[in-house]
Amino acid sequence: MSALATVSDSSMGSKAFGLVELDRLYPGLVPSFIVLPVEDLVENWHDLRAAAHTLVAEYCAGTVDDAAYAERSARLVASLSLAGDVVEAALASCGGWGSVSVRTSALAEDGVEHSFAGQYETSLDVPTESRPVRDAIGASVASLFSARVAAYARARRMSSLEIGGSIVVQQMFVGTTSGVLFSENGRGELTLAWSRSARNTTVEGENAHELRASKVSDWPSGLPAPARLLDIAVDSEARLRRPVDIEWAARGSQLALLQVRPQTTVALDYELAWDCTNIAENYPGITLPLTYSFIRGLYSRVYPAFFRKLGVNQKVLDAKQQVFRNTLGYLGGHVYYQIDNWYEMVRLIPGPSSNQAFFSAMLQPQRTPGDVPRRRLGLRGALTMAPLVGRLGVLLLRSNSMSKAFSRTFQKRLKRFEAVDWNTLHADAILSTLETMRAELLTLWATPVFNDLRVMIFHGLLKTYSFGAEQHADYLGYLHGLSDRASIAPLTALGVLGNRLRERHGEAATADGILSSPDWMATRVLVDEYLARFGGRAPDELQLENPRLADDYASLLALALGTDPEGRPPVDASARSITGRFGTRFIGRNTRQAIDWRERFRFNRAQVYGLARAAYLALGQRLVDAELLETANDVFWLTEQELDEAVFGHAWSSDPRSTVARRRAEFGTFEQRSLARRVVGSGLIAPAALRDDEQRSASGMAAGMGVSPGVLTAEAIVVHAFDPTIDVRGKILVTSHIDPGWTLLFVQAAGVVTERGNALSHVAIIARELAMPAVVAAMGAVDTLSTGQVITINGTTGDIDAAL
């Protein structure tokens, strides 16, 4: 019901006009209402409006202060005279409504530029009696020029205010849920905010629930209101040609539309966060464009395959393609995790919300998101989730057999590609064969990723369930004792090679001396035996631009000769037997088994990268022969897409040589920059404005994390770049990071401090297996400590004491 026949569109205000349109378009959804134009409602409106307009203009100009405004507006309110016949007619029209809401529909309200949201007076649950309704109407009329409204106008640099409109008296809809819907949040999503309340007003504050729904997907289940509300929001946005804000209430399947208005603004700024705490172990320092494009392609393929293995619905995966394509970030030549997308992927894993805490315990990012609220699944949700959780449980039980099957198939397929002579292939055949290699090996890689999930779950249980924060030493002890010890096999074999070299060439042998020796060809057989097993290993081995051990015999010889002839003292390889909570032994055993496999899979990954490096170098040579590049190594300055364009003819203008030259200059500036472990960007284009988001101590060195027990006092040796000739024996190696290839050097040290890493990093795993005290995540250690300085490290607490 609406008494609107004599009300013009221009005098009622946009709120009332919106209600009229809603009532016309969606009859039965808008509670009955009456529109009362203030020019009819207030007997002295002409004079009152003129005085109020002058007062607001003077206030906005600054010629009237707050005190004077309050005094003069109070006099205007006191002079306000309502037309009794209009009020009585309104009361007669709403008889039987029980209670009403009384709101303004001001001419200045709900505009495209200024909303005045919450500034005007609204009264709810007003009994349909003369005095309460009259008082509520008077309060709403007075708010048309209140101090709050004037202050809002001045704050937005308005010079005047259009005063007028109407008052809306509407039947109260007694629902069980009420809230507000915004039809656009800048991400192509509707946003619903609501509370379990019968109050027909905008939801604000901590009691509000929030839900987002993509406008290009099917509406989600479990909505707080009938799905028709979302359809109406999309229709209204199209009709008004701008995003809208709808106030609504619901009771069961019954929906009430209380208000529609344009969204004043759509927040087009967005924020992205990147964290390299974990990934910097594999991609430290500057990483060249080819490596970044290569790994980004791998990540975007592997993780959807992993979730398919878990049984996640393909429609869900399709909706998350942007997440899978943006797991990484490339900032100033450095590789980062786009951390929020990793947590988004974790939320796809079936099971408890503790998955997020387990993921944080494994990754150790600089900051973690807030706790995920537990959602009631309901019967339908439980029935949908149960098979996924069951499938996950079965896969966890079969994890060891799955990993063994992966290893057999992987090695079989890998041998085929290792037999390829890339130098005999056409340029297009190199890329085609690379694509085949990726397809055949990546179809398998869901198993190593699943093993990472196994690590996450059981390590999370070990860290958060079995042992408290005060039991850190016991927790570290349970991580010790890997059954396979594949991680240290290259180190043991390197020591054996060193002793055989010394036996053949003498204790004073050098790498250059062996290479120039007449016996070199015979000695090379020993070296090639080592390379046949571990040639995929190399410092920073996941950066394609870095050479492998097989590329440089001198480095491998220097590493072997640098080993201690006596070897490291034998270490008890058995798992610690520490009493923990019920199930701790089972959890610990599964954690260690998963870490075992993780280390083997890391080596398999290095083998794939080694093959890719050989293929790209062969392609680089083709580009050199075609006079498109200066050297074969220049290929690493290009991206996969640029190489594809050059070889298959997709580029309208291709000049790889100038691209390489430009990037060399750009990356020269990147080398001078130091980025934090966590970086945040925000704005219309978030990466255009980056800021560090990392805490440091007063000394400039971040607090370290103890990952391998033991207290050691020794001389520090600070190493900025891998150097196989450095003698680290008996010293504490201090460096920015240590990846699997670096362990060939650090294993000779007595202890280690790194700026990157966590308890599951390769450096931590190897250090525990060798009983070497180790502290990781000590950001700033390389700049704070110096070579020759005597320091004490505590591999349990993470403390580093230096005699400065």
Side-chain angles (χ1 to χ4, degrees):
M1 172 184 175
S2 57
L4 297 165
T6 61
V7 184
S8 67
D9 295 350
S10 60
S11 65
M12 73 171 70
S14 60
K15 182 184 294 182
F17 180 73
L19 274 176
V20 173
E21 284 294 286
L22 282 177
D23 193 43
R24 180 179 66 83
L25 294 167
Y26 310 107
L29 295 186
V30 180
S32 300
F33 63 95
I34 301 167
V35 177
L36 305 174
V38 291
E39 59 188 21
D40 297 336
L41 187 59
V42 181
E43 292 178 335
N44 58 334
W45 178 246
H46 179 77
D47 294 337
L48 185 67
R49 178 187 177 280
H53 184 275
T54 300
L55 177 59
V56 172
E58 291 175 355
Y59 182 75
C60 288
T63 58
V64 172
D65 62 17
D66 291 342
Y69 190 95
E71 180 184 346
R72 288 171 60 180
S73 63
R75 288 201 300 269
L76 289 177
V77 171
S79 71
L80 192 156
S81 177
L82 296 180
D85 57 335
V86 176
V87 175
E88 291 305 317
L91 279 168
S93 298
C94 62
W97 286 1
S99 62
V100 296
S101 64
V102 179
R103 309 168 188 259
T104 61
S105 177
L107 295 177
E109 192 175 4
D110 295 343
V112 175
E113 294 185 10
H114 306 293
S115 72
F116 284 85
Q119 305 304 311
Y120 294 98
E121 192 67 27
T122 294
S123 301
L124 302 174
D125 295 317
V126 180
T128 52
E129 300 169 4
S130 179
R131 175 53 60 187
V133 171
R134 180 181 290 272
D135 290 346
I137 291 174
S140 289
V141 172
S143 71
L144 293 174
F145 50 86
S146 69
R148 185 167 60 186
V149 168
Y152 180 96
R154 186 169 71 174
R156 281 149 185 79
R157 302 183 183 279
M158 298 171 65
S159 59
S160 63
L161 184 66
E162 191 174 11
I163 299 174
S166 59
I167 303 300
V168 177
V169 180
Q170 186 171 31
Q171 181 180 12
M172 285 293 296
F173 175 85
V174 182
T176 55
T177 306
S178 61
V180 62
L181 180 153
F182 296 98
S183 70
E184 183 55 68
N185 64 358
R187 295 184 175 275
E189 297 171 329
L190 298 158
T191 302
L192 276 164
W194 78 94
S195 65
R196 303 296 179 185
S197 168
R199 292 178 61 82
N200 306 157
T201 187
T202 304
V203 177
E204 295 178 351
E206 296 178 357
N207 294 325
H209 304 278
E210 187 172 294
L211 179 147
R212 294 179 298 171
S214 170
K215 289 192 283 190
V216 296
S217 302
D218 293 338
W219 299 138
S221 58
L223 293 170
R228 190 180 179 190
L229 172 64
L230 279 64
D231 294 327
I232 290 171
V234 173
D235 291 344
S236 298
E237 184 179 76
R239 177 168 49 84
L240 298 176
R241 298 184 180 180
R242 60 173 64 96
V244 296
D245 162 357
I246 299 177
E247 286 187 30
W248 56 272
R251 181 175 61 246
S253 62
Q254 190 175 359
L255 172 66
L257 303 176
L258 306 176
Q259 179 178 319
V260 62
R261 58 190 172 197
Q263 280 182 227
T264 305
T265 59
V266 177
L268 297 180
D269 283 7
Y270 65 104
E271 181 173 287
L272 296 175
W274 297 270
D275 191 298
C276 71
T277 304
N278 185 272
I279 199 170
E281 182 183 21
N282 295 321
Y283 301 100
I286 295 296
T287 297
L288 296 191
L290 182 56
T291 293
Y292 180 73
S293 63
F294 181 79
I295 61 175
R296 187 186 179 203
L298 295 186
Y299 277 54
S300 65
R301 295 184 187 193
V302 165
Y303 284 96
F306 160 69
F307 283 108
R308 281 193 294 271
K309 190 180 188 74
L310 288 187
V312 177
N313 186 280
Q314 186 61 47
K315 286 183 67 175
V316 174
L317 299 182
D318 290 343
K320 298 293 182 182
Q321 284 305 307
Q322 279 294 94
V323 172
F324 298 130
R325 285 197 292 267
N326 292 286
T327 55
L328 301 178
Y330 196 41
L331 309 178
H334 296 261
V335 180
Y336 281 77
Y337 284 143
Q338 196 175 112
I339 194 66
D340 291 335
N341 281 342
W342 285 86
Y343 281 101
E344 187 74 18
M345 288 197 297
V346 168
R347 284 190 279 273
L348 292 177
I349 300 171
S353 58
S354 53
N355 282 336
Q356 177 173 297
F358 292 171
F359 179 72
S360 296
M362 182 172 77
L363 199 69
Q364 294 291 318
Q366 283 292 289
R367 298 186 190 277
T368 57
D371 292 335
V372 177
R374 293 182 180 273
R375 292 195 299 174
R376 297 178 64 88
L377 291 176
L379 179 60
R380 181 178 177 183
L383 291 175
T384 301
M385 183 62 69
L388 295 176
V389 174
R391 181 182 178 88
L392 175 59
V394 171
L395 290 173
L396 285 172
L397 291 174
R398 296 183 52 234
S399 184
N400 278 333
S401 61
M402 286 164 44
S403 295
K404 290 176 183 177
F406 165 86
S407 291
R408 290 192 299 269
T409 306
F410 176 83
Q411 292 301 330
K412 180 180 178 180
R413 294 184 182 182
L414 184 71
K415 285 181 180 179
R416 294 206 306 265
F417 292 104
E418 286 179 330
V420 172
D421 184 352
W422 302 99
N423 293 310
T424 64
L425 299 183
H426 298 164
D428 61 341
I430 291 174
L431 289 181
S432 297
T433 306
L434 259 174
E435 185 59 31
T436 302
M437 181 181 79
R438 264 192 293 235
E440 291 205 15
L441 297 181
L442 289 180
T443 55
L444 305 174
W445 215 263
T447 296
V449 176
F450 181 80
N451 185 73
D452 284 344
L453 175 61
R454 185 187 180 198
V455 173
M456 184 193 89
I457 291 173
F458 283 104
H459 172 261
L461 288 170
L462 191 72
K463 189 172 178 64
T464 62
Y465 165 78
S466 298
F467 301 108
E470 72 282 357
Q471 297 173 287
H472 188 65
D474 292 340
Y475 150 74
L476 292 177
Y478 242 82
L479 290 179
H480 168 83
L482 302 186
S483 57
D484 183 75
R485 310 205 89 197
S487 299
I488 64 171
L491 316 178
T492 303
L494 187 67
V496 171
L497 176 61
N499 283 336
R500 295 178 73 178
L501 291 175
R502 283 185 284 268
E503 289 172 5
R504 178 168 295 203
H505 295 277
E507 293 295 326
T510 64
D512 288 341
I514 293 175
L515 287 171
S516 60
S517 166
D519 295 334
W520 163 238
M521 294 308 295
T523 301
R524 180 175 171 174
V525 174
L526 301 177
V527 178
D528 286 341
E529 286 177 0
Y530 180 89
L531 290 174
R533 295 178 62 194
F534 307 112
R537 223 35 351 147
D540 305 332
E541 61 197 11
L542 299 189
Q543 291 174 301
L544 298 176
E545 58 269 21
N546 290 330
R548 298 314 189 242
L549 290 177
D551 297 338
D552 185 5
Y553 282 109
S555 293
L556 178 57
L557 291 172
L559 285 168
L561 292 171
T563 58
D564 191 332
E566 301 297 325
R568 297 187 69 90
V571 176
D572 178 15
S574 61
R576 300 289 189 266
S577 179
I578 302 168
T579 302
R581 300 177 67 178
F582 176 77
T584 294
R585 290 189 179 183
F586 171 78
I587 294 169
R589 182 173 68 254
N590 274 275
T591 303
R592 291 190 295 273
Q593 287 176 347
I595 292 173
D596 260 338
W597 282 111
R598 190 170 182 235
E599 289 299 295
R600 278 180 271 185
F601 294 152
R602 277 175 165 169
F603 181 65
N604 295 150
R605 183 176 57 182
Q607 290 174 300
V608 174
Y609 279 60
L611 281 175
R613 170 181 164 80
Y616 282 123
L617 279 174
L619 180 58
Q621 188 58 50
R622 300 294 177 281
L623 294 170
V624 171
D625 295 341
E627 299 183 352
L628 294 175
L629 290 180
E630 294 289 342
T631 70
N633 280 293
D634 284 349
V635 74
F636 298 115
W637 291 93
L638 303 173
T639 66
E640 283 194 312
Q641 180 177 339
E642 288 164 342
L643 290 172
D644 184 82
E645 290 171 350
V647 171
F648 291 105
H650 299 300
W652 58 89
S653 175
S654 180
D655 185 6
R657 197 192 306 260
S658 63
T659 300
V660 170
R662 184 181 72 254
R663 287 189 181 146
R664 283 186 182 276
E666 291 171 349
F667 276 64
T669 63
F670 295 161
E671 292 281 5
Q672 310 304 317
R673 295 171 58 187
S674 176
L675 292 177
R677 286 181 290 185
R678 177 181 165 91
V679 177
V680 174
S682 59
L684 292 174
I685 302 297
L690 300 177
R691 65 182 187 278
D692 291 352
D693 186 22
E694 181 181 41
Q695 299 297 320
R696 297 284 186 88
S697 66
S699 68
M701 184 166 63
M705 177 193 302
V707 293
S708 182
V711 177
L712 173 68
T713 300
E715 181 181 318
I717 179 168
V718 179
V719 177
H720 296 275
F722 184 86
D723 183 348
T725 66
I726 293 177
D727 185 3
V728 300
R729 285 175 289 185
K731 301 173 184 177
I732 297 175
L733 175 64
V734 180
T735 187
S736 63
H737 72 285
I738 289 179
D739 77 340
W742 270 73
T743 54
L744 299 174
L745 173 65
F746 106 84
V747 71
Q748 311 304 327
V752 62
V753 173
T754 70
E755 293 187 328
R756 312 285 187 179
N758 54 52
L760 297 179
S761 297
H762 189 76
V763 57
I765 293 168
I766 299 299
R768 284 193 296 269
E769 296 310 298
L770 298 178
M772 176 192 298
V775 175
V776 302
M779 197 66 178
V782 169
D783 294 329
T784 304
L785 303 175
S786 57
T787 296
Q789 185 178 17
V790 176
I791 64 174
T792 299
I793 63 173
N794 187 318
T796 300
T797 65
D799 290 336
I800 303 173
D801 295 323
L804 300 177

